[in-house]
Amino acid sequence: MLFRARLVAALILALLPPTLLRAASAAPAVGPFFEPTQPFFQSPVEVFAPAKGQKTGENFVVRGILLPLASGHCVLFDQELMRVAAIWKIPAGGPPVSLLTVASVSYENIRKKVGGEHPRPTGPVLLSTRVHPGVGGDAAALLSDPRPAAGAGDVGRGPLPAEQVRFEGVELAGETAILRYHVGTTSVSEWYEPSATGGEVLRHLEVAAHAKPLAFAVGDAVAAEAKATSNAASFVVSGTGSDLVATLAPSTQTQRVTLALSFESTAPTAPVAATPPLPRKKGGLRWSGSASAPAQLNALAQNGLVLDRIATPDENPWARRVRVADLAFLTDDRAAVVTYDGDVWLVSGFADPQLAQLTWRRFASGLNEPLAIAAPQGIIQVATKNGVVRLHDRDGDGEADWFENFSDLVIQSQSTRSFPLDMAIGPDGSTYYSQGGIVNRSGMAVGGEGTAHTGAVVKISPDGRKAELVSRGAREPFVTVHPKTGVVTATDQQGHYICSSVCYLVRPGDNFGYVQNELANVTPPLAWVPYDQDTSSTSEVWMVGEGMGPWNGRLLHLSYGTGRVFVITPDLDAPVPQGAVIPLDLKTELPLLHARMNPSGSALFFAGFQIWGTRTTSNWALGRLRPGGTPVATAVAARSCADGVILEFATPLDPASLGAEKIIARGWNYKRSSAYGSGRYALDGTAGTTPWGVAQTVLSADLKSVFIHLPKLPAMAQLEVRHDFRLANGAVARGVVYFTVNQPRPLDLAQAGFAKVDLTKAAQAIVREKEPAPTVAQGKELAVSLGCAVCHSADGTTEGKVGPTWRRLFGSKRTFIDGTSEVADEQYIREKILDPQQKRMKAGQIEMPSFKGVLSEVQLESITLYIKSLAGRVRDE
């Protein structure tokens, strides 16, 4: 699943041309995650000041802004409470906080994982404040946190009410970051610099005219003898030792004042100097120059589509990782690309059919684990853990200088796994934002870590000032909006009470039931996607425009887990919306996270990188999908009805290739439970699947559609229909379609193009083919195709793996969390495959899904033989 298993080391090796191969194998040096030239960084921080008796969690900043100074001090500003949460001294040459976010911990070693710990200051804390507002109308307004708790056990609460205080954003002026916010209607600008001696931190404020006093929390002195001194009679510091407050008197004019924060044992020898004017940006770029990387055209041509793989500039002047997460087109030629490590690049050259002159230029950095980017009306908008940030280049020099806080109304959980996964723009300009729902600290318990927006889809108004909860209860939701109709869909991945990968139709009030014990009012899916097809769903995209041939207007569904793509055919007119899933058989070998159409609609572009479990071989890359000359062998659309299913093809079929014997159909259901995922259950409730008889196939008059008669088709979670036809030109048209039948619906077959169909025909007898004998080779093949090899190594390695290695597993002693133990024999392996939640070895460990009903007896024996062979207990005959 996404964010669940291992990282893979290879970078598209076997299929790359020499230029790409050299770039991939060179292993360029990588610079630090926290670049010393960056004036600010967004980051969560858990401040821990033992000198004041502070305990873990007592000063947690979910949306922090780190401001490293030339003196080595680091100021931590809390953008939600508008407070200086802490100041500390950074060790020479070290990062400002410990590398414990998922992005930072995996930055140098991409196989390294992260747990539930949070970044902390790397040096001794000199000043720390309590969790309360940092600015208000008087000192009383600073005494308590007025925000309601957003979730049991989670410190995420969101921002203060906008009518009281609102954070506007960060402005860059050379090496200085200026924080801008409003207190009521009064605008405030705040920036920091060290004193001339480097022993003090100067907190500068420029405050617009205001009729009433304003109070600013200064902090609790942590270092012995720490002091705060003002440079203006109108700016008075009060309090001793703790809860220091500075009060600014009313004024009819803009005021500029300064607090000198001293951490030495003696007071400053000279008075605080006059406050300087607001810093201004000087000439020159922070990142002059550019980088480039080659593309491999025609890397894959199949099913009427061509995939071009696009490398990233891993060798660049800044030694920066380029783990691409998403892209947003500004024009057909130019796109903004966001990386997981907080950077935004502007890339030009996409309009060139040969992709020969792709040029990468750095545009912004310092963002908090961004995964999605959009460009509404040409404005670059990034989804970060600090909220939705809009990037502006106000002086036109090619680099962002204004990081606007467009909206931070989506409540960010403290969970390290609560990512801003996706973002889509609706026809009215609204932003749909989806946040990951995986929780850490409380395992899978309801009421643990998480907020009302964890696992939710939230709609943000076009001006960013309002947020509406649309749906909830998802595990890892990626959201998509049709750019014209406004239809909203979302994907999710199997987990507790979510049985398989899935596509949902999203409507206000929908509940998807992740980690939910009471399953009343759970929204049924639009379509389930079997685990062997898609272990980890990510984004979807509507292929709007006229440039994608037979795929125009289709909904494309991405699999991060398998690197494959699918067409989803929604049936929104059914009494209960339902749909069909068509695998396109394109093994991209890309860890697909997002796909975006270019403005002209002539091509689709992919972006993605590895961080947890995927079967793909690329670490990170871009890709271009465009129409090609190969035959379209799969169906392009499908729907079910009470009497069978209809498959639509792009070109005419050969009538002689049709027949009931050319179809294999079977159905199964899933069971929602607290187990991780679900096995397959026949329609009578037993483990396995139910074969379904085919009565006839009927071809439409235009020869492009087939009605497959499946008499008395009932509701079922999954209906698999395999076909083996030929096109009229003789090409093979072989494929499979998966239907979700929430409720069988009547359909006028004559209106659908099938006149006078005799529905009284009985289904033909089902002929079962005998499986071959179990072998080690078959077991090894299954380990790859089912994704076992993602979590379990065959060579004894454990780095980047969730499960134990299979090397010498057979015959070893296994000790469980209840203290009992067992030898890993044939029975043990069988039980772990069919019921992995039993006999658990680690408390809270998310284990693999059940393969009950998925694997046949021969397949089970083959996997067991393969595991035995890795212990030297058997060889393949």
Side-chain angles (χ1 to χ4, degrees), residues 530-592:
Y531 180 78
D532 56 350
Q533 296 288 322
D534 177 16
T535 59
S536 174
S537 298
T538 45
S539 188
E540 294 180 337
V541 59
W542 289 95
M543 291 182 282
V544 295
E546 299 300 326
M548 294 298 290
W551 310 109
N552 290 332
R554 311 295 182 188
L555 178 61
L556 194 73
H557 173 104
L558 309 187
S559 171
Y560 170 88
T562 62
R564 301 176 67 189
V565 294
F566 306 81
V567 164
I568 303 284
T569 303
D571 186 358
L572 304 183
D573 296 328
V576 179
Q578 55 195 21
V581 179
I582 306 170
L584 299 189
D585 291 331
L586 290 166
K587 296 181 180 179
T588 69
E589 294 300 335
L590 303 178
L592 302 173

Side-chain angles (χ1 to χ4, degrees), residues 223-555:
E225 308 299 332
K227 300 178 180 65
T229 308
S230 166
N231 70 341
S234 62
F235 199 32
V236 179
V237 180
S238 60
T240 57
S242 64
D243 295 331
L244 297 176
V245 175
T247 303
L248 184 63
S251 175
T252 58
Q253 298 179 346
T254 295
Q255 296 170 283
R256 288 202 306 272
V257 293
T258 296
L259 286 173
L261 305 173
S262 173
F263 311 108
E264 304 295 334
S265 59
T266 58
T269 57
V272 180
T275 304
L278 274 169
R280 299 299 178 191
K281 186 175 180 180
K282 300 177 183 179
L285 296 173
R286 181 180 301 115
W287 305 300
S288 59
S290 63
S292 62
Q296 178 197 4
L297 300 184
N298 304 299
L300 181 65
Q302 193 172 349
N303 210 37
L305 294 166
V306 174
L307 175 69
D308 305 312
R309 292 193 178 99
I310 305 169
T312 54
D314 297 325
E315 292 187 12
N316 57 74
W318 310 279
R320 195 69 179 160
R321 284 257 194 251
V322 192
R323 297 192 285 182
V324 293
D326 195 6
L327 74 165
F329 279 93
L330 305 171
T331 67
D332 256 8
D333 189 66
R334 194 163 176 255
V337 176
V338 67
T339 76
Y340 187 48
D341 305 301
D343 302 320
V344 174
W345 300 69
L346 294 182
V347 186
S348 58
F350 285 113
D352 176 13
Q354 303 302 312
L355 299 174
Q357 299 296 326
L358 289 177
T359 302
W360 296 65
R361 290 183 172 86
R362 294 190 69 178
F363 182 69
S365 190
L367 302 175
N368 186 2
E369 296 194 304
L371 282 171
I373 192 168
Q377 298 179 335
I379 301 173
I380 297 174
Q381 176 174 302
V382 186
T384 79
K385 281 191 173 181
N386 277 47
V388 179
V389 177
R390 285 189 165 180
L391 305 176
H392 304 267
D393 175 15
R394 295 190 294 193
D395 63 3
D397 68 353
E399 294 181 356
D401 47 35
W402 172 232
F403 292 69
E404 175 195 358
N405 175 34
F406 176 67
S407 179
D408 56 3
L409 295 177
V410 177
I411 302 172
Q412 178 61 46
S413 167
Q414 72 186 46
S415 169
T416 59
R417 300 278 292 278
S418 185
F419 299 103
L421 293 173
D422 209 354
M423 183 172 58
I425 309 301
D428 65 348
S430 296
T431 295
Y432 288 82
Y433 179 110
S434 62
Q435 186 183 96
I438 293 180
V439 293
N440 280 331
R441 294 187 170 184
S442 55
M444 295 293 107
V446 174
E449 191 171 272
T451 75
H453 291 162
T454 302
V457 173
V458 179
K459 181 181 180 181
I460 301 171
S461 61
D463 62 1
R465 294 302 194 262
K466 296 179 181 179
E468 170 193 352
L469 179 66
V470 179
S471 65
R472 61 186 176 90
R475 181 176 185 266
E476 289 287 278
F478 284 72
V479 64
T480 301
V481 182
H482 194 288
K484 295 180 180 179
T485 66
V487 169
V488 182
T489 61
T491 68
D492 207 353
Q493 305 158 5
Q494 69 176 12
H496 291 59
Y497 294 98
I498 297 178
C499 314
S500 185
S501 294
V502 66
C503 170
Y504 291 112
L505 175 67
V506 178
R507 295 155 298 185
D510 279 347
N511 169 34
F512 304 125
Y514 177 55
V515 263
Q516 183 179 327
N517 292 326
E518 297 296 329
L519 296 181
N521 301 318
V522 172
T523 303
L526 193 64
W528 293 110
V529 189
Y531 180 78
D532 56 350
Q533 296 288 322
D534 177 16
T535 59
S536 174
S537 298
T538 45
S539 188
E540 294 180 337
V541 59
W542 289 95
M543 291 182 282
V544 295
E546 299 300 326
M548 294 298 290
W551 310 109
N552 290 332
R554 311 295 182 188
L555 178 61

Side-chain angles (χ1 to χ4, degrees), residues 771-775 778 858 862:
E771 287 188 274
T775 63
Q778 184 184 7
V858 169
S862 293

Side-chain angles (χ1 to χ4, degrees), residues 116-142:
E117 294 185 82
H118 302 276
R120 289 183 178 177
T122 49
V125 176
L126 304 173
L127 181 138
S128 171
T129 60
R130 296 189 303 165
V131 181
H132 52 56
V135 62
D138 52 44
L142 311 184

